[in-house]
Amino acid sequence: MTDAKRLQRNHPEIEELARGWGKLLAREAFPDGVGLDVDLFAMEEIAVTAAKSLVRGAVETMTDDQTQALGTEHPCPGCGKLCQLDHRSRPIQVRGGPAELKEPVAHCSTCRRDFFPSASHLEDRRARS
């Protein structure tokens, strides 16, 4: 089963987990209880800010995990020579706001070219092995 299919199957479990984090957030934001002077809009603003941070943190972690799965070397798309992978951080925009993407980058000394291996091609490589 692919990770994407596993995620769809576990979707209700993920929602329930996030709902629990929401309850924890409410208790942390208002440890003495929500005062009567706090309106629904203010409560929602706290939740939206937390949700955006959750999105950024999750995307950064998952893309970093994909980058780590590429390993330390990657074949050059031109000549096939194994080249050392480095990582370069760059800002990206996700639904939760700005996030940092650790992007894999390699340089082939034979072809004298830079390339950016994609984690999405990792499954293609594994399938051919």
Side-chain angles (χ1 to χ4, degrees), residues 34-84:
V34 182
L36 298 176
D37 59 329
V38 181
D39 62 15
L40 184 60
F41 179 79
M43 291 179 210
E44 189 176 31
E45 281 298 303
I46 291 169
V48 167
T49 298
K52 287 180 178 180
S53 296
L54 178 73
V55 169
R56 289 193 312 268
V59 168
E60 287 173 347
T61 300
M62 289 184 280
T63 57
D64 188 47
D65 288 351
Q66 282 186 330
T67 298
Q68 295 303 318
L70 289 171
T72 58
E73 294 181 319
H74 200 79
C76 172
C79 69
K81 175 186 172 188
L82 282 180
C83 301
Q84 182 69 35

Side-chain angles (χ1 to χ4, degrees), residues 32 50 64 70 80 91 98 113 118 129:
D32 298 325
D64 188 47
L70 289 171
R113 67 181 277 182
S118 170
S129 298

Side-chain angles (χ1 to χ4, degrees), residues 52-53 55-57 60 91-101:
K52 287 180 178 180
S53 296
V55 169
R56 289 193 312 268
E60 287 173 347
I92 60 170
Q93 190 68 28
V94 296
R95 285 188 255 178
E100 284 294 315
L101 175 67

